[in-house]
Amino acid sequence: MSERLLSLFDTPLRQMFLVIGLTVLALVVLFFLKRLAIRFAKRTDTELDEYVVSRLYRPVGVSILVFGCFRAMEVGRPDSTPPSWLYASFMSIVVLYWTLAAYRISNAVLLGSASPLRKGMLTQRSLPFFQMLTTGAIGAIGVYFLFLCWDLDLT
């Protein structure tokens, strides 16, 4: 059975259309999962989970799209691999999307956690310090992953 199924996709053009079709299907499933996640998030009292779901939609979608495009290029032209600079460029875009999403989510969590009525470590007065700290940490992690995308030696 599997040999017969594989024989349907013996040409690179058919394989490319299969990968592109599966990528589109993955994006449609992602769209419906977002709607389902937002529906569950609306059942809670806070708005933070709705914000997280809305901020994670784009990085996940871009990641799936880039992965599907590279799989389509690999399957469509099995005799040659995509250039490494093209792979690094697209992976850099994905890293930037994830870094921006992490920054926005962390900022929302910090803003929601700082209360003028509470005493403790995170107050309205200490909020700028923690915002700078998380921005620096997320920025450093993003730069690290950019270096990894371009195969730069970090040692």
Side-chain angles (χ1 to χ4, degrees):
M1 173 73 177
S2 64
E3 292 177 12
R4 206 158 110 194
L5 185 62
L6 288 176
S7 67
L8 292 173
F9 303 106
D10 56 353
T11 64
L13 185 64
R14 288 181 183 169
Q15 292 172 352
M16 185 178 71
F17 282 126
L18 173 70
V19 172
I20 290 173
L22 289 175
T23 302
V24 169
L25 178 67
L27 290 175
V28 168
V29 168
L30 178 68
F31 176 76
F32 285 115
L33 283 178
K34 177 189 176 192
R35 296 291 182 215
L36 183 67
I38 286 177
R39 184 175 296 153
F40 283 127
K42 285 187 179 186
R43 292 182 181 175
T44 61
D45 294 334
T46 64
E47 294 179 7
L48 181 64
D49 46 1
E50 296 169 18
Y51 185 78
V52 169
V53 168
S54 69
R55 289 295 167 207
L56 287 180
Y57 177 70
R58 184 165 287 153
V60 170
V62 168
S63 300
I64 290 172
L65 188 63
V66 167
F67 178 74
C69 287
F70 271 99
R71 287 297 299 154
M73 283 193 284
E74 289 172 0
V75 169
R77 300 192 66 197
D79 53 338
S80 66
T81 59
S84 62
W85 63 267
L86 185 65
Y87 176 78
S89 299
F90 279 113
M91 290 309 294
S92 297
I93 292 170
V94 170
V95 166
L96 290 175
Y97 269 102
W98 279 102
T99 303
L100 186 62
Y103 167 72
R104 288 180 176 168
I105 290 170
S106 70
N107 200 17
V109 168
L110 287 174
L111 286 173
S113 299
S115 172
L117 302 176
R118 254 191 312 182
K119 293 187 178 189
M121 194 176 349
L122 186 59
T123 62
Q124 290 292 329
R125 242 179 111 179
S126 63
L127 180 63
F129 169 74
F130 286 105
Q131 284 177 327
M132 289 186 292
L133 185 69
T134 57
T135 300
I138 290 170
I141 292 169
V143 168
Y144 174 76
F145 279 111
L146 284 175
F147 283 164
L148 290 179
C149 289
W150 289 93
D151 289 330
L152 297 175
D153 188 16
L154 302 173
T155 57

